[in-house]
Amino acid sequence: MTVLHVPAKWHLSPKQVLSNYLAICKIKVVLMLVLTAWIGIALAPDMQRGWLSQVMSLLGIGFLSAAAAAINHIVDREIDKKMARTRHRPIASAQLSITNALLFALILSILGCALLIIWSNLLCTILTLGALVGYAVIYTLFLKRATPQNIVIGGLAGAMPPLLGWVSETGTLSAPPWLLVMIIFTWTPPHFWALAIARKNDYQRANIPMLPVTHGVAFTKLCIIAYSVLLGIVCLLPYLIGMSGWVYLSSACLLNAVFISKSINLYWHQSEQQAMALFRFSISYLLILFIALFIDQWLLQ
């Protein structure tokens, strides 16, 4: 009699199943996006909406961001299998089926839209859906595979949360949140290029035209320095227009000095460790910068 052996990976505990679904949400990235959206709400004019409306709006933005991340995992599954950094992702390693992941992304999208429609406004819903399409479809499906400027062009979708938070509060577009979008938009290339330098062989094996693969590591390092300097300039704008005060300005100056220093240090050292050090710092950089902006806004009230 033939005995059917079911692969062990099909026998997953509820905890492992939950872990897989959280993994395709890129939960740490989503939390960062929700934080920047919250800063957008905090900086917006007080519309007397109440904390429940604000929390539900942030939850809606978070659900749609998680849906975009899940779609990214689905679309990139073949690429993920070829890269050491991503080959153990749930879909790439067949621990989670494409059908279940798609259904999960659909449920998150419906919940996110419903929350934003009920607790926020139509404009915020449309913009958040646009960011989802921009990241999950335009960037992941086309730009990532087509041009070494994929991160530069596609970075706009990931830079939208502060604007989304502001619009969820006010229902209108305004100049101040676009400055926050500009900060994240300018931060994104050096952040990802540092990782791309450290993982160049992975991207080359997966045939992804990241800048270090197409133009070389030395050129990428120069671009990182250029964008780091540009980021330092852009970060001055909130203070120059009176959107923030001295707490933010001093924090931004210190953070950008370290960022530029680490970028220059990376240029002079052919080291994966230096690239990863810059990548990790860039995450803390953005978190601290936006916290400083929030503290400044609280002190100015």
Side-chain angles (χ1 to χ4, degrees):
M1 184 176 71
T2 303
V3 178
L4 179 62
H5 294 282
V6 180
K9 65 186 176 184
W10 289 4
H11 297 289
L12 300 177
S13 68
K15 183 178 179 181
Q16 289 172 311
V17 172
L18 176 61
S19 177
N20 286 335
Y21 280 112
L22 288 176
I24 66 170
C25 287
K26 298 185 178 179
I27 195 69
K28 291 181 180 179
V29 175
V30 169
L31 288 175
M32 178 71 79
L33 296 176
V34 170
L35 172 65
T36 57
W38 176 54
I39 298 299
I41 289 176
L43 295 177
D46 186 5
M47 307 301 289
Q48 302 295 320
R49 288 178 67 227
W51 66 267
L52 182 60
S53 296
Q54 294 174 341
V55 169
M56 289 300 178
S57 298
L58 289 174
L59 199 57
I61 293 169
F63 279 160
L64 284 167
S65 299
I71 295 170
N72 171 266
H73 275 255
I74 296 166
V75 174
D76 274 354
R77 62 189 182 278
E78 295 302 324
I79 292 173
D80 288 345
K81 292 176 184 178
K82 300 174 184 177
M83 301 177 64
R85 183 174 66 90
T86 57
R87 65 172 178 249
H88 298 299
R89 285 177 172 175
I91 299 176
S93 59
Q95 296 181 69
L96 185 63
S97 72
I98 297 172
T99 301
N100 286 347
L102 277 172
L103 181 61
F104 180 61
L106 178 62
I107 292 171
L108 287 175
S109 299
I110 293 172
L111 285 174
C113 286
L115 287 173
L116 289 176
I117 286 290
I118 295 169
W119 296 98
S120 182
N121 54 71
L122 181 60
L123 179 58
C124 181
T125 307
I126 292 171
L127 289 174
T128 309
L129 275 173
L132 183 154
V133 173
Y135 175 72
V137 180
I138 297 174
Y139 166 70
T140 302
L141 197 57
F142 298 106
L143 291 175
K144 187 173 183 178
R145 295 157 169 79
T147 170
Q149 294 299 310
N150 44 25
I151 289 300
V152 178
I153 304 170
L156 182 60
M160 291 294 285
L163 178 67
L164 300 178
W166 181 288
V167 172
S168 76
E169 189 75 1
T170 66
T172 60
L173 293 169
S174 186
W178 282 108
L179 294 183
L180 306 184
V181 171
M182 284 177 61
I183 289 173
I184 301 177
F185 180 73
T186 311
W187 165 88
T188 301
H191 164 71
F192 274 103
W193 284 336
L195 177 65
I197 288 174
R199 299 292 182 260
K200 178 188 173 186
N201 292 335
D202 269 356
Y203 285 113
Q204 202 160 21
R205 186 163 50 250
N207 198 30
I208 299 298
M210 296 299 287
L211 197 62
V213 175
T214 60
H215 290 70
V217 171
F219 178 76
T220 305
K221 289 178 178 179
L222 283 174
C223 290
I224 288 175
I225 293 174
Y227 268 88
S228 299
V229 173
L230 180 61
L231 177 61
I233 296 170
V234 171
C235 283
L236 296 176
L237 296 178
Y239 175 77
L240 294 177
I241 68 165
M243 186 178 175
S244 64
W246 286 101
V247 173
Y248 168 79
L249 180 63
S250 56
S251 300
C253 289
L254 178 60
L255 287 167
N256 282 292
V258 176
F259 203 117
I260 294 170
S261 174
K262 285 184 175 292
S263 300
I264 294 172
N265 192 41
L266 173 61
Y267 180 79
W268 292 112
H269 295 86
Q270 186 70 25
S271 168
E272 179 180 310
Q273 286 73 26
Q274 297 291 341
M276 288 305 297
L278 176 59
F279 172 73
R280 293 190 186 99
F281 171 75
S282 67
I283 298 172
S284 302
Y285 165 96
L286 195 65
L287 178 64
I288 297 169
L289 185 74
F290 274 82
I291 289 175
L293 191 60
F294 172 76
I295 292 173
D296 223 347
Q297 177 70 13
W298 179 71
L299 290 174
L300 288 173
Q301 289 178 348

